Amino acid sequence: MKIKTSLTRFVDEKEIIRGKTLESLMKKYSFVSTIFLLLFNRLPKKNEEAMFNALFVSAIDHGPGTSSAMNARISASVGNSVHASLAAGILGFGNRHGMAVEDAMNFFSEHIDHADIPTKLRELKAQNIKVPGYGHKVFTHTDPRSTTLFSIAKKQKIFGTYCVFAQSIHKELHTFSSKPLPLNIDGAIAAILLDMNIPSMLGNTIFLIGRIPGLLAHIYEERLNDVGIRRLEDRDIEYM
Amino acid sequence: MKIKTSLTRFVDEKEIIRGKTLESLMKKYSFVSTIFLLLFNRLPKKNEEAMFNALFVSAIDHGPGTSSAMNARISASVGNSVHASLAAGILGFGNRHGMAVEDAMNFFSEHIDHADIPTKLRELKAQNIKVPGYGHKVFTHTDPRSTTLFSIAKKQKIFGTYCVFAQSIHKELHTFSSKPLPLNIDGAIAAILLDMNIPSMLGNTIFLIGRIPGLLAHIYEERLNDVGIRRLEDRDIEYM
Amino acid sequence: MKIKTSLTRFVDEKEIIRGKTLESLMKKYSFVSTIFLLLFNRLPKKNEEAMFNALFVSAIDHGPGTSSAMNARISASVGNSVHASLAAGILGFGNRHGMAVEDAMNFFSEHIDHADIPTKLRELKAQNIKVPGYGHKVFTHTDPRSTTLFSIAKKQKIFGTYCVFAQSIHKELHTFSSKPLPLNIDGAIAAILLDMNIPSMLGNTIFLIGRIPGLLAHIYEERLNDVGIRRLEDRDIEYM
Amino acid sequence: MKIKTSLTRFVDEKEIIRGKTLESLMKKYSFVSTIFLLLFNRLPKKNEEAMFNALFVSAIDHGPGTSSAMNARISASVGNSVHASLAAGILGFGNRHGMAVEDAMNFFSEHIDHADIPTKLRELKAQNIKVPGYGHKVFTHTDPRSTTLFSIAKKQKIFGTYCVFAQSIHKELHTFSSKPLPLNIDGAIAAILLDMNIPSMLGNTIFLIGRIPGLLAHIYEERLNDVGIRRLEDRDIEYM
């Protein structure tokens, strides 16, 4: 096995990340800037750093009831290490929870030049296909995280054609859907990343970086308060 | 990276496992015998095969309320693949659930020659240390899986000094413990494997081989009946 | 969270799997029969049990060079538990390694009634789309596992229209492909499962049950021979 | 299953993290401050934020040759999703790679008041027990990350008795060890966290938050440059 990389190299016992010494990064740059550098091979502009900071914070936690937090806590409760519990938590994400940013980015970029989006949305509805980036279990009318992200995107001069497009889809869905379908955090992140020219292949990555500390906080709380093995009570199991 | 192995080799596009062609194994041997061969570099005797068969079956499933089955189903519910959901399920095991066979084997082999086991058990109790292999959430007095495993071990002439020792610990624990501590499946598997001269390093492996099909059955049921994302309801979350 | 299940229930401290007590399964049935029962809610016929036995054995190991075995051994080498290393190994499967059985089943069942399969295959080739179930890195002309599985399927009167169809695709691919594309083990398992009326949703599950003991054997070998942390040597890393 | 939490709650469709609205955190606070708040239930002081920033950056990547990066890339190479590949990568950590921060913290806090540390270290050496936090495969004399972290700790007035103690152990080890044992990044993070009064239970968590973006960058590079399935070449496999 041979691996080619342009991320990190070692020269005379010095570690060089994307052309900068790790030492200089530790001394001069924020964690967010260093993440940006590692992924995109350049330092972020001021507004890019502010936007990425807000994107990460927006995803940081969403309570213990999510499938990812449940998995992480269940794994910790039976005596697993922090990192094994974190891996379990991450496997509680999926295209129905957190991992729809990439799908939403692809959907938006495929359809932004589509002349007749209302017809397209009705077609998807008829085929019972969910539009990625819309709908939420807890937030029924508006996902406040999306609203705040868009307001920050405006302030940072990042809000552009994709954010406008994402909002127009929301309005259109509203005209014929039986239940409210707010632009959720996956969808808002997707639109903003597209307006920042980020490749869709990195959509879910941005969400994951933001949410990992939240999963780790749940694992810590579970270990600290240790209530023993998590099990489903008999009354919550039904035999078919 | 270089790996040395004595498991499987390829000779002239033929696959050879522990000295036998895969072709001959597929045609002549049971899955259980082939597992035994792969792990121990020899085919099992008749009673060893029967015992391993019973050990694997004993562990095959324990309902959807276990932490491993919950993790597997939660992961499947958000749209993960079968293998990613299985990995999540496996990370729902831990030394408090399924993965105590190795610990119990080590405990048994360290103490079987200990002159005064009653004193030792009282010391552990005083230090609040759990004896691995005893106690169960659902089965209060006897773990029926242990009883059946021991009866099969007797029939197969495998039941020996370690099985006797495991039973004597159970009786001793009973004399001073406030709650019943049945010899659980981890403990019974541990005692039987020791009487079969299996190294303790493989204790948890035997349990895992048996339980994996159960986790996969839960994943299949979850995908088939698809009820959407698993979440903890608000009424089951309490804020501190 | 509430879970409905028809797999396993508890009645008066007895565990009942698909209507049979676990005790009776442990005493009377093979591991393979019990797996079949758990998945399909009925015991296998004799030929079904023999076929499943051969399917599991066919997948049991494929050497330390596969991505799944490498992941399992790397994880074990840094000090992880057996079950965490197994989870890592499982995450080394993917639709390019082991997890193409489901895809192949779907491809075969969609196209078996397709009048003009040669045209279809040429279309896929033109679009650079891989036909799932064909091609192998090590076996260039024939995958001997597929040959043996088909010979057992014939002997067990299971070899039917899907197995014939899978062979005809192989021949057709041969007429225009620049490199040999043997029917690989994913493809052979797929055709046999279809001839057994197994739902495609369980294709990868069958492969996983067979291969898990192999991954565990690699983990055991890695722990036993402990050569320290697995790392890629500097000479195998190239900077771009 | 019921979960008690004090991390995040929902009030009137508003998300409140540790008493602050998510909206206000997104608008006003850095990612690092928000992580600190989530874990410790208070915002960091200026020097604490600077120190945490440097700790996270120090861990961000260490090249493609580490066991965690290899696992992540191997998993991505066979077609897994970003989050499944990340879980595989995380299972490539272990107490021999990255996950020794907690152990080192426990070792330091148990022994800092130990009158005779030189004798203790010689005892461990005689028993062949590794002191957690010392030694590195690539860096032989000094781990430059540790040096830089300590210089930042001094500048931020965090460098205290534990950092001094960690250095004194390094010097002592040097007097009798046959090979150089630099204070590695796990050890340096451990000493600094102790001087910041962080509980040892969070030691590995801090490392993980820092390194996750690095694993995700490797996954991105692997998917972008897609060279197909990672396998160990035949010449790197030796049969025993």
Side-chain angles (χ1 to χ4, degrees), chain B residues 1-2 15 61 230 233, chain C residues 1-2 8 15 61 233:
Chain B
M1 195 168 72
K2 285 180 185 301
E15 181 170 349
D61 188 37
R230 298 282 180 189
E233 290 84 8
Chain C
M1 194 168 74
K2 285 178 186 302
T8 296
E15 182 170 347
D61 189 38
E233 289 84 8

Side-chain angles (χ1 to χ4, degrees), chain C residues 67-88:
Chain C
S67 47
S68 51
M70 278 203 292
N71 261 15
R73 296 184 82 126
I74 291 169
S75 184
S77 80
V78 288
N80 282 296
S81 64
V82 172
H83 71 290
S85 306
L86 178 62

Side-chain angles (χ1 to χ4, degrees), chain C residues 59 93 98-99 101 185-186 189 203-211:
Chain C
F93 294 119
M99 298 297 98
V101 183
I185 187 178
D186 296 357
I189 294 178
N204 296 340
T205 290
I206 304 305
F207 180 89
L208 284 164
I209 294 173
R211 179 59 62 88

Side-chain angles (χ1 to χ4, degrees), chain A residues 1-2 5-6 8 13 15 23 29 31 53 61-62 83 90 93 140 148 199 220-221 223 230 233, chain D residues 1-2 5-6 8 13 15 23 29 31 53 61-62 83 90 93 140 148 199 220-221 230 233:
Chain A
M1 196 168 74
K2 285 181 186 300
T5 190
S6 55
T8 296
E13 300 221 345
E15 181 170 349
E23 190 181 343
Y29 297 99
F31 185 37
N53 194 82
D61 188 40
H62 206 57
H83 71 291
I90 287 167
F93 293 119
T140 46
T148 308
Y220 176 48
E221 195 176 52
R223 293 173 86 204
R230 297 283 179 189
E233 289 84 9
Chain D
M1 197 167 73
K2 284 180 186 302
T5 190
S6 55
T8 296
E13 300 220 345
E15 181 170 350
E23 189 181 344
Y29 296 99
F31 186 35
N53 194 82
D61 189 38
H62 205 58
H83 70 291
I90 287 168
F93 293 120
T140 47
T148 309
Y220 176 48
E221 196 177 52
R230 297 282 180 190
E233 289 83 10

